[in-house]
Amino acid sequence: MKTARKCPKITVAAAALVPLSLTACGGSASSGTGSLTVQDYYQPSHDAIYKACAKSVGVEVKINHLPGAGLISKVLQQSSSRTLPDVLMLDNPDVQQIAASGALSPLTDYGLNGEGMVPAVVKAGTYEGKLYGLAPAVNTISVFYNQDMFEAAGISAPPKTWDELRAAAKKLTQGDRYGFAMSNINTYEGSWQFLPFMWSNGGTEENLATPETAQALQFLVDLQNDGSISKSSVNWGQGDVVNQFVAGKAAMAVNGPWVIPQLEKEKSLKWAAFTIPTRLASQTTVAPLGGELYTVPRTGDKTRMGKAGQFVKCLTSPEKQLESAKIEQTIPSTLTVAAEFGKSNEVIAPFVTAVKTARSRTAILGPDWPKAATKIYTAVQAALTGKAAPAEALQQAQNQQ
């Protein structure tokens, strides 16, 4: 009989500095193979899916819902105390960071390869050529618009280019109503909303100080100078933006499909959505990929890890993708399933289109993405508050260490 290798005790603070491969060598908190522990930051709305997959795998499931804000520090703590869950859900930009630490096992060990899925999903879950996470459903951002306001302004169709968007926003700006609203707050949320304008125009986080990114930032400055975007956008989160839209204070609003349930409650509000316009009609919208990926941590128990792999395989099956998408108002990760879902749901269709060409935030810089995100929102804030011209703001941000 082989004896288990002992792990050294490491404090949470120290764990943040030590590769998780050194600490993720113990077993999961629960013993035996009769049950699996799933950890996420969802509401209990997904519990029925978890229980169905557990039944198909032949185990019971213990579900642990945690606040998303403290998830990474919790994972570090669990790793040092050898209490990692059997199935761990992570926000997609965090997967590469945790995979790099050695805490996750490759999903290919369990017969998963992401075939047929949105390319950005596979990219987000891949680190150094190995697949560590997959998502049942994903999201991105598009533009919601008030159809009554469009009709009153004589705008017959949603804009497809920046020039058309700027012209429409000017027409729609009246009194205390802004033609266009988006979050430009100094957090990752602000960076997330700027990405479609930067990426679609050929800009990249590898070097922010390029003419392409400067054009994107200048476009937002121009909208603000026109009076079409509120100067308060530098303080607005995405929740504030949708509230402005619902209140009739914004005719167009950049947001994600997760706000659809809120909009559907407003029976007097006639709305629809369209894909974020590009500078040129010949360009393709490249929006950021949102959503959570499921992973199988290295708990040290191969039998349990095998069951966990089967569980993730069930979660990412076409049937469960559709169930998850309907619960969260998101997009199935498999392209064919997403296409069918879009055909049956006009509201979701623009998001399905955007997801096809979406990009994961870690696609270029991998685990270093957070540094770039900070630089992006810093530059956006500097330009919109008049502290620096777009090109200068981007150069200053790029020079940040």
Side-chain angles (χ1 to χ4, degrees):
M1 182 179 70
K2 294 183 179 179
T3 57
R5 181 166 60 93
K6 292 184 178 180
C7 291
K9 290 185 178 180
I10 301 177
T11 64
V12 176
L17 302 174
V18 178
L20 292 185
S21 56
L22 298 180
T23 61
C25 55
S28 176
S30 42
S31 58
T33 57
S35 68
L36 294 177
T37 301
V38 178
Q39 184 169 292
D40 68 12
Y41 53 77
Y42 282 155
Q43 297 299 313
S45 55
H46 272 71
D47 289 3
I49 295 178
Y50 292 157
K51 290 175 182 177
C53 282
K55 185 176 181 180
S56 73
V57 173
V59 297
E60 297 291 325
V61 63
K62 297 178 181 179
I63 305 165
N64 187 17
H65 300 298
L66 297 177
L71 186 64
I72 298 304
S73 60
K74 179 68 174 179
V75 169
L76 291 168
Q77 183 184 48
Q78 289 172 322
S79 178
S80 66
S81 61
R82 292 174 287 172
T83 55
L84 283 166
D86 299 299
V87 178
L88 173 64
M89 188 192 80
L90 293 167
D91 194 10
N92 76 82
D94 296 327
V95 172
Q96 293 193 13
Q97 174 192 351
I98 302 304
S101 73
L104 306 178
S105 61
L107 294 186
T108 48
D109 291 352
Y110 317 110
L112 289 159
N113 57 22
E115 184 179 357
M117 284 192 170
V118 173
V121 172
V122 178
K123 187 77 172 178
T126 300
Y127 176 71
E128 293 189 343
K130 292 185 178 181
L131 182 67
Y132 291 96
L134 284 177
V138 292
N139 62 64
T140 189
I141 45 179
S142 292
V143 183
F144 291 93
Y145 70 101
N146 187 306
Q147 293 176 307
D148 288 333
M149 291 179 184
F150 264 54
E151 184 178 349
I155 303 171
S156 59
K160 294 183 178 180
T161 65
W162 290 359
D163 285 345
E164 291 176 1
L165 177 60
R166 186 177 179 185
K170 274 187 179 182
K171 272 190 174 184
L172 292 161
T173 300
Q174 295 181 11
D176 63 352
R177 183 184 77 201
Y178 293 95
F180 192 75
M182 63 182 288
S183 170
N184 290 306
I185 198 169
N186 58 339
T187 67
Y188 292 164
E189 208 163 282
S191 300
W192 155 270
Q193 291 227 329
F194 179 66
L195 288 175
F197 299 96
M198 180 177 83
W199 282 345
S200 302
N201 199 43
T204 171
E205 55 270 34
E206 279 186 303
N207 179 16
L208 297 181
T210 65
E212 292 80 10
T213 303
Q215 283 178 323
L217 187 49
Q218 184 65 56
F219 176 63
L220 299 191
V221 171
D222 289 343
L223 284 172
Q224 182 177 272
N225 289 344
D226 289 343
S228 299
I229 284 184
S230 171
K231 290 183 178 180
S232 296
S233 74
V234 294
N235 299 313
W236 287 349
Q238 293 176 121
D240 300 307
V241 171
V242 72
N243 288 340
Q244 293 289 319
F245 183 72
V246 168
K249 302 295 185 181
M252 294 182 280
V254 178
N255 231 304
W258 54 84
V259 305
I260 290 175
Q262 180 180 347
L263 298 181
E264 288 179 334
K265 292 178 182 178
E266 304 295 327
K267 301 304 180 184
S268 62
L269 182 62
K270 190 178 178 183
W271 56 274
F274 60 90
T275 305
I276 293 175
T278 53
R279 184 173 65 87
L280 303 174
S282 59
Q283 292 173 323
T284 299
T285 300
V286 183
L289 180 80
E292 293 75 29
L293 277 63
Y294 287 89
T295 68
V296 177
R298 294 183 185 274
T299 60
D301 187 325
K302 295 295 184 182
T303 302
R304 296 179 66 85
M305 289 166 64
K307 291 285 187 181
Q310 292 177 40
F311 188 88
V312 172
K313 191 171 186 177
C314 173
L315 289 178
T316 54
S317 66
E319 177 190 358
K320 298 308 178 189
Q321 284 187 35
L322 277 173
E323 288 184 35
S324 183
K326 289 174 181 176
I327 290 172
E328 294 290 322
Q329 292 290 345
T330 47
I331 317 303
S333 293
T334 295
L335 289 165
T336 54
V337 181
E340 287 302 313
F341 189 52
K343 288 178 183 177
S344 65
N345 190 330
E346 289 184 8
V347 173
I348 286 290
F351 295 94
V352 172
T353 299
V355 160
K356 290 178 185 177
T357 54
R359 180 183 298 169
S360 70
R361 282 157 281 176
T362 52
I364 296 176
L365 298 181
D368 288 335
W369 158 251
K371 295 178 184 177
T374 301
K375 292 179 180 182
I376 290 169
Y377 70 65
T378 299
V380 171
Q381 286 265 314
L384 291 179
T385 57
K387 293 179 180 178
E392 181 184 359
L394 290 163
Q395 185 63 66
Q396 291 173 354
Q398 182 61 35
N399 290 340
Q400 289 180 359
Q401 296 300 317

